[in-house]
Amino acid sequence: MTTTVYRSSSSDILKIWDDANSDVRDWHDQIDAFLDEHGLTGRSVFIDTAFGRPCGVGHNDSDVPHGWRVHRTHGYLVPRLTTKEGKLLSVRLGALTRPDPRDQVPGMPKNCIAEGAFMTCGMRPMGGALYVTWPRPIPEKQVDLTIWEKTKLSEYYAALEAIEAAEEVADRG
């Protein structure tokens, strides 16, 4: 298995990525407002990664708020669907689906089946380009090669090291 990397330095792609990440920041604000409204400020929200929907809220061993219950398997708070308040909480929480910027980026699949494996790509902007990583090669017919170019791993790791070095310098002040 070899990691496969694609890169696009298209200004259109970078703008789409930035706009989509702005939607994610707005979503975080909505989640924080929901938690504040229900007396759950500062708690973690657990996301169903397959659908992007919140599936629970962190439980800190305090009393269980009205309309909530503790999930038997996972131990986080979930709406108690046997109550009217719990049903309303479930609807409100379920409506807070986390946007996934990968859904907005053209020319590159978010998910792919290759060599018998279901995979989801990683995306990261670095040095004026958006990089997409796959844990193994994907069928190139699924990639718009007018937008994306296959990149050597050494180039990807050089860009990654440059970003990490810049972050380290920034952290030191």
PDB file of all heavy atoms in Angstrom, residues 129-169:
ATOM      1  N   ALA A 129      -1.786  25.621  -1.976  1.00  0.00           N
ATOM      2  CA  ALA A 129      -2.400  24.510  -2.720  1.00  0.00           C
ATOM      3  C   ALA A 129      -3.253  23.685  -1.755  1.00  0.00           C
ATOM      4  O   ALA A 129      -3.067  23.743  -0.538  1.00  0.00           O
ATOM      5  CB  ALA A 129      -1.334  23.633  -3.353  1.00  0.00           C
ATOM      6  N   LEU A 130      -4.178  22.938  -2.311  1.00  0.00           N
ATOM      7  CA  LEU A 130      -4.969  21.995  -1.530  1.00  0.00           C
ATOM      8  C   LEU A 130      -4.472  20.603  -1.875  1.00  0.00           C
ATOM      9  O   LEU A 130      -4.425  20.228  -3.052  1.00  0.00           O
ATOM     10  CB  LEU A 130      -6.461  22.127  -1.856  1.00  0.00           C
ATOM     11  CG  LEU A 130      -7.406  21.227  -1.054  1.00  0.00           C
ATOM     12  CD1 LEU A 130      -7.322  21.533   0.442  1.00  0.00           C
ATOM     13  CD2 LEU A 130      -8.837  21.387  -1.542  1.00  0.00           C
ATOM     14  N   TYR A 131      -4.071  19.864  -0.848  1.00  0.00           N
ATOM     15  CA  TYR A 131      -3.561  18.507  -1.025  1.00  0.00           C
ATOM     16  C   TYR A 131      -4.625  17.506  -0.610  1.00  0.00           C
ATOM     17  O   TYR A 131      -5.329  17.706   0.382  1.00  0.00           O
ATOM     18  CB  TYR A 131      -2.310  18.289  -0.168  1.00  0.00           C
ATOM     19  CG  TYR A 131      -1.089  19.003  -0.686  1.00  0.00           C
ATOM     20  CD1 TYR A 131      -0.889  20.351  -0.418  1.00  0.00           C
ATOM     21  CD2 TYR A 131      -0.149  18.332  -1.456  1.00  0.00           C
ATOM     22  CE1 TYR A 131       0.233  21.011  -0.893  1.00  0.00           C
ATOM     23  CE2 TYR A 131       0.982  18.987  -1.930  1.00  0.00           C
ATOM     24  CZ  TYR A 131       1.158  20.325  -1.641  1.00  0.00           C
ATOM     25  OH  TYR A 131       2.268  20.971  -2.126  1.00  0.00           O
ATOM     26  N   VAL A 132      -4.729  16.426  -1.375  1.00  0.00           N
ATOM     27  CA  VAL A 132      -5.657  15.334  -1.080  1.00  0.00           C
ATOM     28  C   VAL A 132      -4.831  14.068  -0.934  1.00  0.00           C
ATOM     29  O   VAL A 132      -4.015  13.740  -1.797  1.00  0.00           O
ATOM     30  CB  VAL A 132      -6.682  15.156  -2.221  1.00  0.00           C
ATOM     31  CG1 VAL A 132      -7.614  13.987  -1.930  1.00  0.00           C
ATOM     32  CG2 VAL A 132      -7.475  16.429  -2.427  1.00  0.00           C
ATOM     33  N   THR A 133      -5.040  13.365   0.168  1.00  0.00           N
ATOM     34  CA  THR A 133      -4.297  12.119   0.391  1.00  0.00           C
ATOM     35  C   THR A 133      -5.259  10.940   0.442  1.00  0.00           C
ATOM     36  O   THR A 133      -6.368  11.040   0.959  1.00  0.00           O
ATOM     37  CB  THR A 133      -3.500  12.178   1.715  1.00  0.00           C
ATOM     38  OG1 THR A 133      -4.398  12.464   2.797  1.00  0.00           O
ATOM     39  CG2 THR A 133      -2.421  13.240   1.657  1.00  0.00           C
ATOM     40  N   TRP A 134      -4.794   9.847  -0.121  1.00  0.00           N
ATOM     41  CA  TRP A 134      -5.501   8.565  -0.109  1.00  0.00           C
ATOM     42  C   TRP A 134      -4.542   7.514   0.432  1.00  0.00           C
ATOM     43  O   TRP A 134      -3.350   7.556   0.121  1.00  0.00           O
ATOM     44  CB  TRP A 134      -5.923   8.171  -1.526  1.00  0.00           C
ATOM     45  CG  TRP A 134      -6.956   9.057  -2.121  1.00  0.00           C
ATOM     46  CD1 TRP A 134      -6.747  10.124  -2.949  1.00  0.00           C
ATOM     47  CD2 TRP A 134      -8.367   8.971  -1.937  1.00  0.00           C
ATOM     48  NE1 TRP A 134      -7.943  10.702  -3.298  1.00  0.00           N
ATOM     49  CE2 TRP A 134      -8.957  10.009  -2.688  1.00  0.00           C
ATOM     50  CE3 TRP A 134      -9.198   8.112  -1.214  1.00  0.00           C
ATOM     51  CZ2 TRP A 134     -10.331  10.208  -2.734  1.00  0.00           C
ATOM     52  CZ3 TRP A 134     -10.564   8.310  -1.273  1.00  0.00           C
ATOM     53  CH2 TRP A 134     -11.116   9.344  -2.021  1.00  0.00           C
ATOM     54  N   PRO A 135      -5.032   6.549   1.210  1.00  0.00           N
ATOM     55  CA  PRO A 135      -4.127   5.535   1.755  1.00  0.00           C
ATOM     56  C   PRO A 135      -3.562   4.569   0.717  1.00  0.00           C
ATOM     57  O   PRO A 135      -2.606   3.853   0.996  1.00  0.00           O
ATOM     58  CB  PRO A 135      -4.979   4.794   2.783  1.00  0.00           C
ATOM     59  CG  PRO A 135      -6.382   5.144   2.487  1.00  0.00           C
ATOM     60  CD  PRO A 135      -6.387   6.422   1.727  1.00  0.00           C
ATOM     61  N   ARG A 136      -4.143   4.551  -0.465  1.00  0.00           N
ATOM     62  CA  ARG A 136      -3.655   3.727  -1.572  1.00  0.00           C
ATOM     63  C   ARG A 136      -4.136   4.349  -2.872  1.00  0.00           C
ATOM     64  O   ARG A 136      -4.995   5.219  -2.857  1.00  0.00           O
ATOM     65  CB  ARG A 136      -4.106   2.274  -1.427  1.00  0.00           C
ATOM     66  CG  ARG A 136      -5.608   2.089  -1.412  1.00  0.00           C
ATOM     67  CD  ARG A 136      -6.015   0.650  -1.261  1.00  0.00           C
ATOM     68  NE  ARG A 136      -5.683   0.203   0.082  1.00  0.00           N
ATOM     69  CZ  ARG A 136      -5.975  -0.982   0.573  1.00  0.00           C
ATOM     70  NH1 ARG A 136      -6.598  -1.844  -0.170  1.00  0.00           N
ATOM     71  NH2 ARG A 136      -5.660  -1.316   1.792  1.00  0.00           N
ATOM     72  N   PRO A 137      -3.616   3.916  -3.998  1.00  0.00           N
ATOM     73  CA  PRO A 137      -4.034   4.508  -5.273  1.00  0.00           C
ATOM     74  C   PRO A 137      -5.537   4.316  -5.525  1.00  0.00           C
ATOM     75  O   PRO A 137      -6.114   3.298  -5.145  1.00  0.00           O
ATOM     76  CB  PRO A 137      -3.215   3.738  -6.313  1.00  0.00           C
ATOM     77  CG  PRO A 137      -2.033   3.212  -5.565  1.00  0.00           C
ATOM     78  CD  PRO A 137      -2.529   2.925  -4.177  1.00  0.00           C
ATOM     79  N   ILE A 138      -6.124   5.334  -6.159  1.00  0.00           N
ATOM     80  CA  ILE A 138      -7.534   5.252  -6.548  1.00  0.00           C
ATOM     81  C   ILE A 138      -7.593   5.265  -8.077  1.00  0.00           C
ATOM     82  O   ILE A 138      -6.644   5.704  -8.734  1.00  0.00           O
ATOM     83  CB  ILE A 138      -8.373   6.399  -5.950  1.00  0.00           C
ATOM     84  CG1 ILE A 138      -7.953   7.761  -6.536  1.00  0.00           C
ATOM     85  CG2 ILE A 138      -8.275   6.407  -4.438  1.00  0.00           C
ATOM     86  CD1 ILE A 138      -8.903   8.883  -6.204  1.00  0.00           C
ATOM     87  N   PRO A 139      -8.704   4.807  -8.659  1.00  0.00           N
ATOM     88  CA  PRO A 139      -8.830   4.850 -10.121  1.00  0.00           C
ATOM     89  C   PRO A 139      -8.790   6.301 -10.624  1.00  0.00           C
ATOM     90  O   PRO A 139      -9.588   7.130 -10.188  1.00  0.00           O
ATOM     91  CB  PRO A 139     -10.204   4.225 -10.378  1.00  0.00           C
ATOM     92  CG  PRO A 139     -10.507   3.433  -9.147  1.00  0.00           C
ATOM     93  CD  PRO A 139      -9.837   4.146  -8.016  1.00  0.00           C
ATOM     94  N   GLU A 140      -7.862   6.610 -11.491  1.00  0.00           N
ATOM     95  CA  GLU A 140      -7.687   7.987 -11.955  1.00  0.00           C
ATOM     96  C   GLU A 140      -8.875   8.499 -12.747  1.00  0.00           C
ATOM     97  O   GLU A 140      -9.045   9.710 -12.872  1.00  0.00           O
ATOM     98  CB  GLU A 140      -6.395   8.130 -12.749  1.00  0.00           C
ATOM     99  CG  GLU A 140      -5.187   8.000 -11.850  1.00  0.00           C
ATOM    100  CD  GLU A 140      -4.086   8.984 -12.188  1.00  0.00           C
ATOM    101  OE1 GLU A 140      -3.941   9.359 -13.357  1.00  0.00           O
ATOM    102  OE2 GLU A 140      -3.375   9.359 -11.241  1.00  0.00           O
ATOM    103  N   LYS A 141      -9.723   7.599 -13.251  1.00  0.00           N
ATOM    104  CA  LYS A 141     -10.905   8.057 -13.975  1.00  0.00           C
ATOM    105  C   LYS A 141     -11.876   8.797 -13.056  1.00  0.00           C
ATOM    106  O   LYS A 141     -12.751   9.509 -13.521  1.00  0.00           O
ATOM    107  CB  LYS A 141     -11.603   6.885 -14.668  1.00  0.00           C
ATOM    108  CG  LYS A 141     -12.198   5.877 -13.707  1.00  0.00           C
ATOM    109  CD  LYS A 141     -12.823   4.711 -14.429  1.00  0.00           C
ATOM    110  CE  LYS A 141     -13.350   3.732 -13.394  1.00  0.00           C
ATOM    111  NZ  LYS A 141     -13.779   2.503 -13.961  1.00  0.00           N
ATOM    112  N   GLN A 142     -11.697   8.660 -11.729  1.00  0.00           N
ATOM    113  CA  GLN A 142     -12.552   9.359 -10.775  1.00  0.00           C
ATOM    114  C   GLN A 142     -12.029  10.757 -10.428  1.00  0.00           C
ATOM    115  O   GLN A 142     -12.660  11.497  -9.691  1.00  0.00           O
ATOM    116  CB  GLN A 142     -12.694   8.532  -9.498  1.00  0.00           C
ATOM    117  CG  GLN A 142     -13.421   7.235  -9.731  1.00  0.00           C
ATOM    118  CD  GLN A 142     -13.740   6.517  -8.445  1.00  0.00           C
ATOM    119  OE1 GLN A 142     -13.898   7.116  -7.393  1.00  0.00           O
ATOM    120  NE2 GLN A 142     -13.846   5.205  -8.526  1.00  0.00           N
ATOM    121  N   VAL A 143     -10.850  11.100 -10.953  1.00  0.00           N
ATOM    122  CA  VAL A 143     -10.211  12.379 -10.653  1.00  0.00           C
ATOM    123  C   VAL A 143     -10.204  13.242 -11.909  1.00  0.00           C
ATOM    124  O   VAL A 143      -9.840  12.777 -12.990  1.00  0.00           O
ATOM    125  CB  VAL A 143      -8.762  12.152 -10.161  1.00  0.00           C
ATOM    126  CG1 VAL A 143      -8.066  13.476  -9.892  1.00  0.00           C
ATOM    127  CG2 VAL A 143      -8.737  11.263  -8.926  1.00  0.00           C
ATOM    128  N   ASP A 144     -10.589  14.507 -11.758  1.00  0.00           N
ATOM    129  CA  ASP A 144     -10.514  15.439 -12.879  1.00  0.00           C
ATOM    130  C   ASP A 144      -9.077  15.962 -12.946  1.00  0.00           C
ATOM    131  O   ASP A 144      -8.681  16.849 -12.172  1.00  0.00           O
ATOM    132  CB  ASP A 144     -11.496  16.593 -12.671  1.00  0.00           C
ATOM    133  CG  ASP A 144     -11.515  17.566 -13.835  1.00  0.00           C
ATOM    134  OD1 ASP A 144     -10.574  17.554 -14.661  1.00  0.00           O
ATOM    135  OD2 ASP A 144     -12.476  18.359 -13.912  1.00  0.00           O
ATOM    136  N   LEU A 145      -8.307  15.406 -13.860  1.00  0.00           N
ATOM    137  CA  LEU A 145      -6.887  15.743 -13.957  1.00  0.00           C
ATOM    138  C   LEU A 145      -6.638  17.109 -14.594  1.00  0.00           C
ATOM    139  O   LEU A 145      -5.489  17.537 -14.695  1.00  0.00           O
ATOM    140  CB  LEU A 145      -6.134  14.640 -14.699  1.00  0.00           C
ATOM    141  CG  LEU A 145      -6.122  13.290 -13.964  1.00  0.00           C
ATOM    142  CD1 LEU A 145      -5.500  12.211 -14.833  1.00  0.00           C
ATOM    143  CD2 LEU A 145      -5.405  13.403 -12.625  1.00  0.00           C
ATOM    144  N   THR A 146      -7.710  17.813 -14.983  1.00  0.00           N
ATOM    145  CA  THR A 146      -7.541  19.198 -15.419  1.00  0.00           C
ATOM    146  C   THR A 146      -7.480  20.133 -14.217  1.00  0.00           C
ATOM    147  O   THR A 146      -7.018  21.266 -14.329  1.00  0.00           O
ATOM    148  CB  THR A 146      -8.680  19.648 -16.355  1.00  0.00           C
ATOM    149  OG1 THR A 146      -9.919  19.638 -15.640  1.00  0.00           O
ATOM    150  CG2 THR A 146      -8.766  18.755 -17.582  1.00  0.00           C
ATOM    151  N   ILE A 147      -7.946  19.641 -13.066  1.00  0.00           N
ATOM    152  CA  ILE A 147      -7.934  20.422 -11.824  1.00  0.00           C
ATOM    153  C   ILE A 147      -6.851  19.919 -10.876  1.00  0.00           C
ATOM    154  O   ILE A 147      -6.186  20.693 -10.203  1.00  0.00           O
ATOM    155  CB  ILE A 147      -9.308  20.330 -11.108  1.00  0.00           C
ATOM    156  CG1 ILE A 147     -10.431  20.842 -11.999  1.00  0.00           C
ATOM    157  CG2 ILE A 147      -9.272  21.084  -9.783  1.00  0.00           C
ATOM    158  CD1 ILE A 147     -11.815  20.596 -11.430  1.00  0.00           C
ATOM    159  N   TRP A 148      -6.673  18.607 -10.839  1.00  0.00           N
ATOM    160  CA  TRP A 148      -5.787  17.959  -9.870  1.00  0.00           C
ATOM    161  C   TRP A 148      -4.587  17.344 -10.569  1.00  0.00           C
ATOM    162  O   TRP A 148      -4.710  16.811 -11.663  1.00  0.00           O
ATOM    163  CB  TRP A 148      -6.548  16.860  -9.123  1.00  0.00           C
ATOM    164  CG  TRP A 148      -7.698  17.419  -8.356  1.00  0.00           C
ATOM    165  CD1 TRP A 148      -8.990  17.519  -8.782  1.00  0.00           C
ATOM    166  CD2 TRP A 148      -7.641  17.996  -7.066  1.00  0.00           C
ATOM    167  NE1 TRP A 148      -9.750  18.118  -7.816  1.00  0.00           N
ATOM    168  CE2 TRP A 148      -8.957  18.425  -6.749  1.00  0.00           C
ATOM    169  CE3 TRP A 148      -6.633  18.194  -6.130  1.00  0.00           C
ATOM    170  CZ2 TRP A 148      -9.267  19.038  -5.539  1.00  0.00           C
ATOM    171  CZ3 TRP A 148      -6.946  18.802  -4.933  1.00  0.00           C
ATOM    172  CH2 TRP A 148      -8.249  19.219  -4.645  1.00  0.00           C
ATOM    173  N   GLU A 149      -3.446  17.384  -9.894  1.00  0.00           N
ATOM    174  CA  GLU A 149      -2.258  16.711 -10.410  1.00  0.00           C
ATOM    175  C   GLU A 149      -1.747  15.741  -9.351  1.00  0.00           C
ATOM    176  O   GLU A 149      -1.765  16.035  -8.150  1.00  0.00           O
ATOM    177  CB  GLU A 149      -1.165  17.711 -10.784  1.00  0.00           C
ATOM    178  CG  GLU A 149      -0.613  18.496  -9.608  1.00  0.00           C
ATOM    179  CD  GLU A 149       0.510  19.436  -9.995  1.00  0.00           C
ATOM    180  OE1 GLU A 149       1.430  19.008 -10.710  1.00  0.00           O
ATOM    181  OE2 GLU A 149       0.453  20.590  -9.555  1.00  0.00           O
ATOM    182  N   LYS A 150      -1.333  14.580  -9.816  1.00  0.00           N
ATOM    183  CA  LYS A 150      -0.735  13.604  -8.911  1.00  0.00           C
ATOM    184  C   LYS A 150       0.608  14.167  -8.456  1.00  0.00           C
ATOM    185  O   LYS A 150       1.359  14.724  -9.262  1.00  0.00           O
ATOM    186  CB  LYS A 150      -0.556  12.260  -9.605  1.00  0.00           C
ATOM    187  CG  LYS A 150      -0.403  11.116  -8.670  1.00  0.00           C
ATOM    188  CD  LYS A 150      -0.561   9.817  -9.429  1.00  0.00           C
ATOM    189  CE  LYS A 150      -0.584   8.663  -8.459  1.00  0.00           C
ATOM    190  NZ  LYS A 150      -0.766   7.401  -9.161  1.00  0.00           N
ATOM    191  N   THR A 151       0.886  14.037  -7.168  1.00  0.00           N
ATOM    192  CA  THR A 151       2.071  14.653  -6.577  1.00  0.00           C
ATOM    193  C   THR A 151       2.944  13.595  -5.928  1.00  0.00           C
ATOM    194  O   THR A 151       2.439  12.630  -5.347  1.00  0.00           O
ATOM    195  CB  THR A 151       1.625  15.678  -5.507  1.00  0.00           C
ATOM    196  OG1 THR A 151       0.747  16.617  -6.127  1.00  0.00           O
ATOM    197  CG2 THR A 151       2.792  16.405  -4.903  1.00  0.00           C
ATOM    198  N   LYS A 152       4.237  13.789  -6.029  1.00  0.00           N
ATOM    199  CA  LYS A 152       5.168  12.872  -5.374  1.00  0.00           C
ATOM    200  C   LYS A 152       5.028  12.997  -3.866  1.00  0.00           C
ATOM    201  O   LYS A 152       4.798  14.091  -3.338  1.00  0.00           O
ATOM    202  CB  LYS A 152       6.608  13.194  -5.765  1.00  0.00           C
ATOM    203  CG  LYS A 152       6.938  12.932  -7.202  1.00  0.00           C
ATOM    204  CD  LYS A 152       8.390  13.294  -7.465  1.00  0.00           C
ATOM    205  CE  LYS A 152       8.764  13.043  -8.907  1.00  0.00           C
ATOM    206  NZ  LYS A 152      10.163  13.415  -9.158  1.00  0.00           N
ATOM    207  N   LEU A 153       5.182  11.879  -3.189  1.00  0.00           N
ATOM    208  CA  LEU A 153       5.127  11.899  -1.729  1.00  0.00           C
ATOM    209  C   LEU A 153       6.178  12.838  -1.151  1.00  0.00           C
ATOM    210  O   LEU A 153       5.921  13.530  -0.162  1.00  0.00           O
ATOM    211  CB  LEU A 153       5.331  10.489  -1.156  1.00  0.00           C
ATOM    212  CG  LEU A 153       4.104   9.613  -1.078  1.00  0.00           C
ATOM    213  CD1 LEU A 153       4.488   8.218  -0.585  1.00  0.00           C
ATOM    214  CD2 LEU A 153       3.059  10.205  -0.173  1.00  0.00           C
ATOM    215  N   SER A 154       7.351  12.867  -1.755  1.00  0.00           N
ATOM    216  CA  SER A 154       8.418  13.735  -1.244  1.00  0.00           C
ATOM    217  C   SER A 154       7.992  15.209  -1.291  1.00  0.00           C
ATOM    218  O   SER A 154       8.294  15.975  -0.371  1.00  0.00           O
ATOM    219  CB  SER A 154       9.706  13.523  -2.034  1.00  0.00           C
ATOM    220  OG  SER A 154       9.494  13.792  -3.408  1.00  0.00           O
ATOM    221  N   GLU A 155       7.273  15.614  -2.338  1.00  0.00           N
ATOM    222  CA  GLU A 155       6.784  16.993  -2.431  1.00  0.00           C
ATOM    223  C   GLU A 155       5.737  17.264  -1.356  1.00  0.00           C
ATOM    224  O   GLU A 155       5.729  18.337  -0.741  1.00  0.00           O
ATOM    225  CB  GLU A 155       6.203  17.248  -3.815  1.00  0.00           C
ATOM    226  CG  GLU A 155       7.230  17.243  -4.918  1.00  0.00           C
ATOM    227  CD  GLU A 155       6.604  17.386  -6.298  1.00  0.00           C
ATOM    228  OE1 GLU A 155       5.505  17.977  -6.414  1.00  0.00           O
ATOM    229  OE2 GLU A 155       7.220  16.903  -7.266  1.00  0.00           O
ATOM    230  N   TYR A 156       4.851  16.309  -1.146  1.00  0.00           N
ATOM    231  CA  TYR A 156       3.825  16.454  -0.114  1.00  0.00           C
ATOM    232  C   TYR A 156       4.467  16.590   1.263  1.00  0.00           C
ATOM    233  O   TYR A 156       4.138  17.495   2.033  1.00  0.00           O
ATOM    234  CB  TYR A 156       2.866  15.257  -0.155  1.00  0.00           C
ATOM    235  CG  TYR A 156       1.945  15.196   1.031  1.00  0.00           C
ATOM    236  CD1 TYR A 156       0.913  16.109   1.191  1.00  0.00           C
ATOM    237  CD2 TYR A 156       2.108  14.228   2.015  1.00  0.00           C
ATOM    238  CE1 TYR A 156       0.065  16.068   2.281  1.00  0.00           C
ATOM    239  CE2 TYR A 156       1.272  14.161   3.108  1.00  0.00           C
ATOM    240  CZ  TYR A 156       0.248  15.084   3.247  1.00  0.00           C
ATOM    241  OH  TYR A 156      -0.576  15.038   4.335  1.00  0.00           O
ATOM    242  N   TYR A 157       5.409  15.682   1.575  1.00  0.00           N
ATOM    243  CA  TYR A 157       6.044  15.732   2.894  1.00  0.00           C
ATOM    244  C   TYR A 157       6.887  16.993   3.067  1.00  0.00           C
ATOM    245  O   TYR A 157       6.977  17.536   4.171  1.00  0.00           O
ATOM    246  CB  TYR A 157       6.857  14.465   3.155  1.00  0.00           C
ATOM    247  CG  TYR A 157       5.972  13.280   3.460  1.00  0.00           C
ATOM    248  CD1 TYR A 157       5.996  12.150   2.664  1.00  0.00           C
ATOM    249  CD2 TYR A 157       5.081  13.315   4.524  1.00  0.00           C
ATOM    250  CE1 TYR A 157       5.164  11.066   2.925  1.00  0.00           C
ATOM    251  CE2 TYR A 157       4.244  12.241   4.795  1.00  0.00           C
ATOM    252  CZ  TYR A 157       4.295  11.123   3.996  1.00  0.00           C
ATOM    253  OH  TYR A 157       3.460  10.060   4.263  1.00  0.00           O
ATOM    254  N   ALA A 158       7.485  17.504   2.003  1.00  0.00           N
ATOM    255  CA  ALA A 158       8.233  18.760   2.096  1.00  0.00           C
ATOM    256  C   ALA A 158       7.287  19.917   2.435  1.00  0.00           C
ATOM    257  O   ALA A 158       7.598  20.760   3.291  1.00  0.00           O
ATOM    258  CB  ALA A 158       8.969  19.036   0.786  1.00  0.00           C
ATOM    259  N   ALA A 159       6.115  19.948   1.800  1.00  0.00           N
ATOM    260  CA  ALA A 159       5.124  20.985   2.094  1.00  0.00           C
ATOM    261  C   ALA A 159       4.626  20.845   3.534  1.00  0.00           C
ATOM    262  O   ALA A 159       4.480  21.846   4.252  1.00  0.00           O
ATOM    263  CB  ALA A 159       3.954  20.901   1.116  1.00  0.00           C
ATOM    264  N   LEU A 160       4.383  19.620   3.959  1.00  0.00           N
ATOM    265  CA  LEU A 160       3.923  19.359   5.327  1.00  0.00           C
ATOM    266  C   LEU A 160       4.970  19.800   6.352  1.00  0.00           C
ATOM    267  O   LEU A 160       4.641  20.459   7.342  1.00  0.00           O
ATOM    268  CB  LEU A 160       3.608  17.863   5.481  1.00  0.00           C
ATOM    269  CG  LEU A 160       2.962  17.410   6.780  1.00  0.00           C
ATOM    270  CD1 LEU A 160       1.633  18.105   7.008  1.00  0.00           C
ATOM    271  CD2 LEU A 160       2.767  15.895   6.753  1.00  0.00           C
ATOM    272  N   GLU A 161       6.228  19.468   6.105  1.00  0.00           N
ATOM    273  CA  GLU A 161       7.299  19.863   7.026  1.00  0.00           C
ATOM    274  C   GLU A 161       7.444  21.380   7.084  1.00  0.00           C
ATOM    275  O   GLU A 161       7.688  21.942   8.156  1.00  0.00           O
ATOM    276  CB  GLU A 161       8.619  19.205   6.623  1.00  0.00           C
ATOM    277  CG  GLU A 161       8.644  17.720   6.929  1.00  0.00           C
ATOM    278  CD  GLU A 161       9.901  17.023   6.423  1.00  0.00           C
ATOM    279  OE1 GLU A 161      10.823  17.707   5.903  1.00  0.00           O
ATOM    280  OE2 GLU A 161       9.969  15.790   6.550  1.00  0.00           O
ATOM    281  N   ALA A 162       7.286  22.059   5.955  1.00  0.00           N
ATOM    282  CA  ALA A 162       7.375  23.517   5.942  1.00  0.00           C
ATOM    283  C   ALA A 162       6.261  24.143   6.772  1.00  0.00           C
ATOM    284  O   ALA A 162       6.505  25.078   7.552  1.00  0.00           O
ATOM    285  CB  ALA A 162       7.324  24.035   4.498  1.00  0.00           C
ATOM    286  N   ILE A 163       5.041  23.612   6.651  1.00  0.00           N
ATOM    287  CA  ILE A 163       3.913  24.125   7.438  1.00  0.00           C
ATOM    288  C   ILE A 163       4.145  23.866   8.925  1.00  0.00           C
ATOM    289  O   ILE A 163       3.935  24.733   9.766  1.00  0.00           O
ATOM    290  CB  ILE A 163       2.581  23.476   6.982  1.00  0.00           C
ATOM    291  CG1 ILE A 163       2.209  23.955   5.590  1.00  0.00           C
ATOM    292  CG2 ILE A 163       1.461  23.715   7.969  1.00  0.00           C
ATOM    293  CD1 ILE A 163       1.856  25.424   5.500  1.00  0.00           C
ATOM    294  N   GLU A 164       4.580  22.658   9.275  1.00  0.00           N
ATOM    295  CA  GLU A 164       4.823  22.327  10.678  1.00  0.00           C
ATOM    296  C   GLU A 164       5.939  23.180  11.266  1.00  0.00           C
ATOM    297  O   GLU A 164       5.853  23.612  12.415  1.00  0.00           O
ATOM    298  CB  GLU A 164       5.133  20.837  10.822  1.00  0.00           C
ATOM    299  CG  GLU A 164       3.913  19.972  10.590  1.00  0.00           C
ATOM    300  CD  GLU A 164       4.215  18.466  10.552  1.00  0.00           C
ATOM    301  OE1 GLU A 164       5.404  18.085  10.529  1.00  0.00           O
ATOM    302  OE2 GLU A 164       3.242  17.687  10.543  1.00  0.00           O
ATOM    303  N   ALA A 165       6.989  23.449  10.496  1.00  0.00           N
ATOM    304  CA  ALA A 165       8.078  24.300  10.980  1.00  0.00           C
ATOM    305  C   ALA A 165       7.582  25.724  11.216  1.00  0.00           C
ATOM    306  O   ALA A 165       7.920  26.353  12.233  1.00  0.00           O
ATOM    307  CB  ALA A 165       9.228  24.297   9.973  1.00  0.00           C
ATOM    308  N   ALA A 166       6.749  26.235  10.308  1.00  0.00           N
ATOM    309  CA  ALA A 166       6.188  27.584  10.471  1.00  0.00           C
ATOM    310  C   ALA A 166       5.289  27.651  11.697  1.00  0.00           C
ATOM    311  O   ALA A 166       5.311  28.632  12.445  1.00  0.00           O
ATOM    312  CB  ALA A 166       5.430  27.986   9.216  1.00  0.00           C
ATOM    313  N   GLU A 167       4.478  26.607  11.919  1.00  0.00           N
ATOM    314  CA  GLU A 167       3.610  26.554  13.099  1.00  0.00           C
ATOM    315  C   GLU A 167       4.419  26.507  14.391  1.00  0.00           C
ATOM    316  O   GLU A 167       4.064  27.142  15.380  1.00  0.00           O
ATOM    317  CB  GLU A 167       2.659  25.358  13.012  1.00  0.00           C
ATOM    318  CG  GLU A 167       1.584  25.509  11.955  1.00  0.00           C
ATOM    319  CD  GLU A 167       0.778  24.232  11.726  1.00  0.00           C
ATOM    320  OE1 GLU A 167       1.124  23.170  12.279  1.00  0.00           O
ATOM    321  OE2 GLU A 167      -0.206  24.312  10.974  1.00  0.00           O
ATOM    322  N   GLU A 168       5.524  25.773  14.370  1.00  0.00           N
ATOM    323  CA  GLU A 168       6.392  25.666  15.541  1.00  0.00           C
ATOM    324  C   GLU A 168       7.011  27.020  15.882  1.00  0.00           C
ATOM    325  O   GLU A 168       7.059  27.413  17.032  1.00  0.00           O
ATOM    326  CB  GLU A 168       7.487  24.629  15.291  1.00  0.00           C
ATOM    327  CG  GLU A 168       8.285  24.273  16.525  1.00  0.00           C
ATOM    328  CD  GLU A 168       9.274  23.150  16.258  1.00  0.00           C
ATOM    329  OE1 GLU A 168       8.825  22.091  15.764  1.00  0.00           O
ATOM    330  OE2 GLU A 168      10.466  23.364  16.515  1.00  0.00           O
ATOM    331  N   VAL A 169       7.458  27.740  14.861  1.00  0.00           N
ATOM    332  CA  VAL A 169       8.033  29.079  15.068  1.00  0.00           C
ATOM    333  C   VAL A 169       6.958  30.016  15.616  1.00  0.00           C
ATOM    334  O   VAL A 169       7.207  30.780  16.554  1.00  0.00           O
ATOM    335  CB  VAL A 169       8.625  29.632  13.742  1.00  0.00           C
ATOM    336  CG1 VAL A 169       8.948  31.103  13.865  1.00  0.00           C
ATOM    337  CG2 VAL A 169       9.865  28.824  13.361  1.00  0.00           C
TER     338      VAL A 169
END
